[in-house]
Amino acid sequence: MSTSLSTAPVAAPAPTRRHHPLLALSAIVGTQLMLLLDATVVNVALPGIGADLGFSSTGMSWILNVYILAFGGLLLLGSRIGDLIGRRRALIIGVLAFTAASVAGGFATDATLLLVSRAAQGAAAALAAPSTLALLTTTFTEGTERNRALSVFSAISGAGSAVGLIVGGMLTEWGSWRWVFFINIPVGLAIAALAPRYVAETARHPGGRFDVAGALTGTLGMASLVYAFIRVADQGWSDTRALTTFAAAAALLAAFLLNEVRAERPLVVLRLFADRNRALAYGCMLLIPAGMFGVFYFSTQFLQGVLGYSPLRTGFAFLPLAAPLFVAARTAPRALARFGAKRVASAGALLSLSGTLWLSQLDAGTGYVGALLGPLALIGVGVGFTMMPLNTLILTGVQPRDAGSASGLLQTMQQIGGSLGLSILVTVFGTAARHADGGAGEVFTAGATAAFAAAAVFTGLALLLVLAVRAPSKR
């Protein structure tokens, strides 16, 4: 299951790029934004997709999860491929493949074709995404220049998911749900044109053995776990298939861990966890998206299904989350320099926890202003102040040879956390909704409030991990 590779390092080709930091940053950040948008841009379009292609209310979560699973499950393998062929080349190939898969998704005529195209998008994203932070690290020198670039990257990374909801609402309202896929075409082509001209190629590091076994067992294990949770949401905890799939997931993930310990060149570079603060920050990167993806998913359905909002109005309903998140993320570097990573991230996690707990008090008879406006603003500010310090804790002190692995693992934690968290919250929702009384709005709200309460648990655990961080550098 593995392929031997040459151990000799290969120098990057002589650079042919022009020196233009803004355009280089635009290509790198543009890639990150496009990939993150597709994790949430379809949220607002879910009712239309479900009606056209025949998805059930819980089955619609697969439209999100199949993308996130392929993305997160193959990210570390994508990082290794970037080491082999060069990270700029990996980014360009990934972006072009992502664009092609988006075209297929936009023309999908049934549920199967859509899910296959979403999986292809995720696989292509897994090839492109690990190169973004790695290229940012090698393109901008450590210090003020890199911190400024990193603050822009963190702001886009944090706000990208929320912006996706707004963009999805606009495209669905003004065109159709198919345009949430077609919008990637001009963006992908622009990135593919900019990157060769303004982003320098990195050295290739093809040594060791290619950990295909790790990629297969890890991805299949996470997919089985997510499937089992979603199956429970539909059928309950007594379902035999769900219990069997849980057992298969446990076996596959155990095999993955055993493989990573023994592999000559594992997907997960275990030495990255030797630093306490980095290990804690990785844990937070798993937990925060686990709650945030649930906030997006259930808030969207509450707005359209209970309050009767149109897709466009639903998208703009998330502006109180997206705008404060972006502002907070841009302010975070100054706060980080003054107060340190631990204090800034702790304050952000506490605000996110407060907003999520507020959502758990949702009532079907409450309007948008009383039910969602305040919580979304708190979560936006909280996440904005959390992501930059976590990125800093993870990337500080990383050796150049581990830059791709560290950034790939960071994004893997985000995507796997979002996918696994959403599947758990869908299960909580389904269990609570089955035992609720009243009309459709009351039943949905009962399930959603239970899911928000579970999301608050994820955020609370992230806060505890941040509080365990030891004296981080204020640089």
Side-chain angles (χ1 to χ4, degrees), residues 90-115:
L91 182 143
I92 294 169
I93 294 173
V95 165
L96 290 174
F98 186 92
T99 304
S102 298
V103 174
F107 285 112
T109 55
D110 58 46
T112 301
L113 290 175
L114 181 66
L115 293 180

Side-chain angles (χ1 to χ4, degrees), residues 161-261:
S161 296
V163 170
L165 297 167
I166 298 172
V167 173
M170 295 167 64
L171 294 172
T172 304
E173 182 82 6
W174 294 340
S176 77
W177 62 263
R178 298 183 184 277
W179 282 98
V180 303
F181 297 100
F182 292 148
I183 190 63
N184 292 321
I185 299 172
V187 178
L189 293 177
I191 293 168
L194 284 175
R197 291 175 173 84
Y198 300 106
V199 179
E201 182 60 282
T202 61
R204 291 174 284 165
H205 304 282
R209 297 177 68 84
F210 218 41
D211 189 12
V212 178
L216 288 176
T217 53
T219 304
L220 291 175
M222 288 305 306
S224 299
L225 190 58
V226 168
Y227 173 81
F229 275 116
I230 294 176
R231 178 81 182 179
V232 167
D234 276 331
Q235 305 297 327
W237 287 98
S238 60
D239 181 68
T240 303
R241 183 182 296 181
L243 297 177
T244 302
T245 310
F246 274 124
L252 285 165
L253 292 174
F256 170 75
L257 292 175
L258 183 62
N259 178 81
E260 296 308 283
V261 171

Side-chain angles (χ1 to χ4, degrees), residues 162-473:
V163 170
L165 297 167
I166 298 172
V167 173
M170 295 167 64
L171 294 172
T172 304
E173 182 82 6
W174 294 340
S176 77
W177 62 263
R178 298 183 184 277
W179 282 98
V180 303
F181 297 100
F182 292 148
I183 190 63
N184 292 321
I185 299 172
V187 178
L189 293 177
I191 293 168
L194 284 175
R197 291 175 173 84
Y198 300 106
V199 179
E201 182 60 282
T202 61
R204 291 174 284 165
H205 304 282
R209 297 177 68 84
F210 218 41
D211 189 12
V212 178
L216 288 176
T217 53
T219 304
L220 291 175
M222 288 305 306
S224 299
L225 190 58
V226 168
Y227 173 81
F229 275 116
I230 294 176
R231 178 81 182 179
V232 167
D234 276 331
Q235 305 297 327
W237 287 98
S238 60
D239 181 68
T240 303
R241 183 182 296 181
L243 297 177
T244 302
T245 310
F246 274 124
L252 285 165
L253 292 174
F256 170 75
L257 292 175
L258 183 62
N259 178 81
E260 296 308 283
V261 171
R262 296 180 174 181
E264 178 183 342
R265 189 165 186 176
L267 290 178
V268 178
V269 180
L270 298 179
R271 61 178 170 268
L272 291 172
F273 293 93
D275 182 273
R276 173 192 173 95
N277 287 354
R278 185 180 296 122
L280 291 170
Y282 274 134
C284 291
M285 282 295 188
L286 186 75
L287 290 165
I288 290 174
M292 195 171 180
F293 274 58
V295 169
F296 293 153
Y297 185 75
F298 293 107
S299 296
T300 298
Q301 294 190 57
F302 178 81
L303 286 166
Q304 294 190 57
V306 178
L307 299 186
Y309 277 28
S310 67
L312 180 61
R313 193 177 180 188
T314 298
F316 278 102
F318 285 95
L319 193 59
L321 185 149
L325 195 158
F326 186 82
V327 172
R330 295 290 289 139
T331 307
R334 292 193 293 274
L336 186 66
R338 181 173 180 181
F339 300 108
K342 179 175 181 177
R343 290 183 180 179
V344 177
S346 297
L350 182 60
L351 288 171
S352 296
L353 176 60
S354 301
T356 311
L357 285 172
W358 192 347
L359 283 175
S360 70
Q361 306 304 308
L362 198 67
D363 184 89
T366 308
Y368 170 76
V369 174
L372 293 177
L373 180 61
L376 291 179
L378 280 177
I379 293 171
V381 175
V383 173
F385 277 122
T386 304
M387 300 304 288
M388 171 67 180
L390 293 179
N391 284 338
T392 302
L393 288 171
I394 289 171
L395 294 177
T396 297
V398 173
Q399 298 298 319
R401 61 174 177 165
D402 292 331
S405 297
S407 61
L409 185 56
L410 183 157
Q411 293 174 84
T412 295
M413 290 295 187
Q414 288 179 304
Q415 300 303 322
I416 292 297
S419 178
L420 183 58
L422 179 58
S423 66
I424 293 172
L425 296 182
V426 167
T427 302
V428 172
F429 167 85
T431 303
R434 279 196 299 272
H435 296 89
D437 297 320
E442 287 76 12
V443 170
F444 176 85
T445 304
T449 53
F452 288 138
V457 173
F458 293 143
T459 309
L461 291 173
L463 175 59
L464 292 177
L465 292 183
V466 173
L467 292 174
V469 167
R470 289 179 181 171
S473 170

